[in-house]
Amino acid sequence: MASFLSFLLGEKKKTASVAKERLQIILAHERSGRNASEPDYLPALQRELVAVISKYVKINPDDLKVSLERQDNLEVLEVKIELPETAR
């Protein structure tokens, strides 16, 4: 609850922390809603992740895949990102 209040009050946080909280909110919202086999937010989430990651590393949008798997009462959001090799 404290992290949610900090989020609303605009406390400065690291990008990864903010992204994690946003994903948790999206997943909580989706769980409370319908029970679709593939949530409609996944394509938008994938586009937003590409935009954020592209600020730091040049990636091809096709190199990022987002999927949601359900097993019994467990949901797993999987994000696969193929990062370019660094020059040596």
Side-chain angles (χ1 to χ4, degrees), residues 43-81:
L45 178 61
Q46 184 166 339
R47 285 189 302 275
E48 290 179 26
L49 286 170
V50 167
V52 170
I53 293 168
S54 293
K55 291 180 182 181
Y56 304 96
V57 178
K58 185 172 181 163
I59 63 168
N60 181 340
D62 295 330
D63 291 340
L64 188 141
K65 304 290 182 218
V66 177
S67 63
L68 182 68
E69 294 180 16
R70 290 187 175 102
Q71 298 173 350
D72 300 323
N73 292 334
L74 179 68
E75 291 182 325
V76 177
L77 177 66
E78 182 176 41
V79 178
K80 292 183 180 181
I81 306 168

Side-chain angles (χ1 to χ4, degrees), residues 21-54:
E21 286 182 12
R22 287 179 181 168
L23 287 173
Q24 288 173 334
I25 291 169
I26 290 170
L27 288 174
H29 180 267
E30 185 62 29
R31 285 183 189 141
S32 67
R34 60 192 180 290
N35 198 9
S37 61
E38 174 137 336
D40 58 355
Y41 66 83
L42 286 181
L45 178 61
Q46 184 166 339
R47 285 189 302 275
E48 290 179 26
L49 286 170
V50 167
V52 170
I53 293 168
S54 293

